[in-house]
Amino acid sequence: MPAQVTTDPLVATTNVAPVSGASVWRWLVLLPRKWAHAYKIARDTQMLRSAPREVLDDIGIARRDVQFACEHGRLPN
């Protein structure tokens, strides 16, 4: 089937899905939660990076594992 190319602006814009007001409000409600989650991740990452060796030993985490997790978002295998 050949592709249909059109220059009519009405036809060219009819394939856009309508955005409902509910989806916009849901996105606006969830945005502060995402910011709060990102803030918590950044705060915890900084705390682990600057933690003294004794604290990491008490938790049972090696400094190299903390650095790897902060860079890659997961523990090494």
Side-chain angles (χ1 to χ4, degrees):
M1 173 187 252
Q4 180 181 2
V5 178
T6 180
T7 57
D8 184 13
L10 182 62
V11 174
T13 60
T14 57
N15 289 331
V16 176
V19 177
S20 70
S23 65
V24 172
W25 282 110
R26 177 172 166 73
W27 180 80
L28 287 174
V29 168
L30 293 178
L31 192 61
R33 291 182 191 171
K34 291 183 181 201
W35 284 341
H37 181 72
Y39 173 77
K40 288 178 184 178
I41 296 290
R43 179 198 62 200
D44 294 345
T45 301
Q46 184 58 33
M47 188 274 303
L48 283 173
R49 282 185 173 164
S50 62
R53 183 182 50 83
E54 294 82 16
V55 173
L56 294 178
D57 288 344
D58 287 345
I59 300 172
I61 301 175
R63 176 81 54 199
R64 61 182 162 74
D65 292 343
V66 169
Q67 189 62 29
F68 188 89
C70 290
E71 289 176 6
H72 301 286
R74 61 179 175 81
L75 287 175
N77 295 334

